[in-house]
């Protein structure tokens, strides 16, 4: 077992230095960085994080298709008439998210930006600078943005929203990990380091919660950053707490690099002794050390 005193921090720092902006082409964030204007980055970021599940090559291809269909102008597309969005997105889909779902979410983002100036301003309405994390503000933001969805021109109650629309609006108050919304917030809030965008300076990076997907959950177990079995909000908050020991100001800065290990199959689901032998985390990885001892 790794003791808390073991020097995980330097290994995480090395990992973060290894997987920097040159790996953006392996992440939906690279698709958001195509845009320069903050309003476009907010809208593109929300959509890109929202579809960030499944095979990464498909995610990237499907996002590029969206940008093409909306003339490479996400914020302007969000403000156009609903019929235009439906027509332009007809036939697009990503897993269970259908063309109309995406068109309706895009329209909701346009309404939020029009009403509040930006998605960031809408988020700040419920954000407390002194809050330990962004959970409550995210919950309020999700409710606010979701209430702007119109289906067939009408507001509908949340349970009646199509599943593909609800997929974008996970509420942390329900206990889920909210991986894709935490990813969106990481992109918006962390300073521009060539990866994240630094668009929302009113939120402190220290308040972010790490986006936990199956890759990050698996690695967090290997690195003894969590012992929870379920990848939920409590696991995400717990891992973030542990990471604060290594960077109290910016604990989720390790997320991009940790996620690369899974996305690039450097640390596969099924343990691979050859990959462990080549992995820089072996000295601080419970599984890697076991593999090395057996070899
Ligand atoms: S040592 Fe092996 S199990 Fe541990 S993180 Fe590296 S590849 Fe994954």
């Amino acid at each position: 077992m790794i003791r808390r005193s073991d020097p995980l921090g330097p290994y995480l720092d090395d990992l973060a230095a290894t997987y920097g902006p040159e790996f953006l082409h392996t992440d939906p964030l690279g698709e958001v960085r195509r845009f320069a204007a903050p309003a476009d980055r907010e809208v593109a970021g929300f959509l890109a994080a929202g579809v960030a599940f499944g095979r990464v090559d498909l995610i990237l291809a499907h996002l590029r298709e969206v940008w093409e269909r909306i003339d490479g102008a996400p914020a302007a597309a969000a403000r156009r008439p609903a019929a235009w969005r439906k027509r332009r997105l007809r036939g697009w889909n990503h897993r269970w998210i259908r063309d109309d779902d995406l068109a309706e979410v895009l329209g909701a983002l346009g309404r939020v930006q029009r009403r509040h100036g930006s998605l960031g301003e809408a988020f700040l309405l419920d954000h407390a600078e002194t809050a330990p994390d962004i959970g409550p503000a995210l919950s309020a933001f999700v409710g606010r943005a979701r209430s702007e969805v119109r289906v067939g021109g009408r507001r509908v109650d949340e349970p009646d929203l199509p599943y593909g629309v609800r997929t974008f609006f996970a509420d942390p108050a329900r206990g889920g990990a909210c991986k894709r919304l935490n990813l969106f917030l990481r992109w918006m809030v962390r300073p521009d380091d060539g990866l994240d965008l630094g668009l929302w300076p009113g939120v402190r990076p220290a308040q972010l919660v790490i986006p936990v997907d199956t890759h990050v959950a698996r690695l967090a177990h290997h690195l003894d950053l969590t012992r929870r079995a379920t990848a939920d909000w409590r696991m995400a908050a717990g891992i973030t707490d542990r990471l604060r020991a290594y960077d109290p100001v910016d604990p989720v800065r390790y997320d991009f690099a940790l996620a690369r290990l899974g996305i690039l199959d450097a640390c596969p689901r099924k343990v691979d002794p050859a990959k462990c032998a080549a992995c820089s985390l072996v000295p601080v990885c419970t599984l890697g050390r076991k593999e090395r001892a057996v070899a």
Side-chain angles (χ1 to χ4, degrees), residues 194-210:
L195 290 170
D196 297 315
L197 305 170
L199 288 180
W200 294 3
V203 184
R204 288 180 293 117
Q207 294 173 296
L208 292 171
V209 172
I210 192 165

Side-chain angles (χ1 to χ4, degrees), residues 208-224:
L208 292 171
V209 172
I210 192 165
V212 170
D213 60 8
T214 53
H215 300 310
V216 171
R218 187 175 71 252
L219 276 156
H221 277 286
H222 294 345
L223 301 176
D224 201 29

Side-chain angles (χ1 to χ4, degrees), residues 219 222-223 261 266-268 271-272 275-276 279 281-282 285 287-288:
L219 276 156
H222 294 345
L223 301 176
L261 291 180
C267 176
V271 64
D272 178 341
K275 290 194 170 169
C276 288
C279 178
L281 295 178
V282 170
C285 173
L287 198 57

